[in-house]
Amino acid sequence: MSLAGHLVELRNRLLIAAAAIVVAMVIAYFLTDPFMEFITRPVREIAMARGEEAKVEVMYTTVTGAFDLKLRMSFAIGILLAAPVWLWQIWAYIMPGLSRKEIRYTVGFLLAAIPLFFAGALTGILVMPNIVKLMADFLPEGTSAFYEARTYYDFVLKLMLIVGIAYVLPVFLVALNFAGIISGKAILKAWRVAVVVAVVVAAIATPPADVVSTFLLAGILVVLFFAAAGLSMLFDRRRAKRTVAELGTAA
């Protein structure tokens, strides 16, 4: 295909992906209220626990705040809903230029990375209520807590993204091993650094006072790292055996 043909195909696939995202955003607009109600449930539970003497609620500080937040949420949820379409468009565009071996590796990477990312995002959602309630425990008696809606939503979204990306990092290590950039033994030797990074990421994603959530998340990340190191060492062993077999055949 000529350069012009590649550009036309790229344009068409981008248009399809954009159209899918727009349609998904329209659908997501009607899901924003249930989602907001779900993520603000801890705030309502805090309000019930503290009683009527203290006011605890999510609030909007501008006239257009509620509408702006709906659009932001619609965009994020729309990208998620349209993911099968735009991921396929990206894959269909680059697949003809890949070898059969590269296609297998790419498919394997996606099949591992996508579920891990969603598992991480789900972990973030599950940890979030404990974080909100724990932080509310530091409020003095008789005081009020007003959570700005946009800031509250950004906190939840960033938590999901941080934990989701952290879950995918071990897959990148395996991908680097596949590419021959780093060996399994080298990955395993860096276990001390991995533990420190896991604790730092967990500390960023969870409040310092929530020690249980911090160590739970750090433990999951460490287990994923050692799983990646183990898989990489297994692949190195198979690669070494294949090389020995090829050399023996050649001899």
Side-chain angles (χ1 to χ4, degrees):
M1 187 181 296
S2 64
L3 177 61
H6 280 296
L7 293 176
V8 170
E9 183 186 5
L10 178 61
R11 181 199 62 187
N12 293 337
R13 296 198 179 279
L14 288 176
L15 288 175
I16 294 174
I21 292 175
V22 171
V23 173
M25 284 180 61
V26 174
I27 298 174
Y29 183 85
F30 299 98
L31 301 176
T32 55
D33 287 342
F35 182 73
M36 194 64 181
E37 182 180 358
F38 172 75
I39 65 176
T40 56
R41 187 177 301 168
V43 177
R44 294 191 297 274
E45 293 177 354
I46 294 170
M48 293 177 60
R50 292 177 65 86
E52 297 181 357
E53 73 278 0
K55 192 71 173 177
V56 182
E57 62 183 15
V58 175
M59 60 183 297
Y60 297 91
T61 57
T62 62
V63 175
T64 60
F67 179 71
D68 292 341
L69 183 57
K70 274 181 171 289
L71 290 182
R72 288 166 60 87
M73 294 174 65
S74 298
F75 181 72
I77 299 175
I79 289 179
L80 181 63
L81 293 178
V85 177
W86 57 262
L87 282 174
W88 169 251
Q89 295 303 317
I90 294 174
W91 172 249
Y93 181 73
I94 66 174
M95 184 174 61
L98 300 177
S99 65
R100 185 174 300 178
K101 186 177 182 180
E102 291 172 335
I103 291 175
R104 288 203 309 269
Y105 287 165
T106 304
V107 171
F109 173 79
L110 292 176
L111 290 178
I114 292 176
L116 279 174
F117 176 80
F118 283 108
L122 179 60
T123 302
I125 281 288
L126 295 177
V127 171
M128 181 269 299
N130 294 331
I131 297 175
V132 176
K133 293 176 182 177
L134 179 65
M135 292 297 97
D137 290 339
F138 291 95
L139 292 171
E141 290 294 332
T143 58
S144 301
F146 297 98
Y147 301 96
E148 204 278 321
R150 179 173 176 176
T151 304
Y152 186 88
Y153 166 72
D154 287 344
F155 160 73
V156 175
L157 180 62
K158 290 175 183 177
L159 178 64
M160 294 173 61
L161 290 177
I162 290 174
V163 182
I165 293 173
Y167 271 44
V168 177
L169 288 179
V171 181
F172 281 102
L173 292 177
V174 176
L176 291 175
N177 176 261
F178 266 133
I181 298 175
I182 187 171
S183 66
K185 289 184 178 180
I187 295 175
L188 186 60
K189 285 181 180 179
W191 69 269
R192 295 179 179 86
V193 177
V195 171
V196 173
V197 171
V199 173
V200 170
V201 171
I204 293 174
T206 59
D210 191 357
V211 179
V212 176
S213 297
T214 301
F215 279 99
L216 176 63
L217 180 56
I220 294 174
L221 296 177
V222 169
V223 169
L224 289 174
F225 168 80
F226 280 108
L231 282 174
S232 298
M233 293 179 68
L234 177 62
F235 294 146
D236 287 343
R237 186 176 302 175
R238 290 182 177 179
R239 193 180 298 119
K241 288 181 178 180
R242 192 182 305 116
T243 302
V244 171
E246 291 175 354
L247 291 175
T249 303

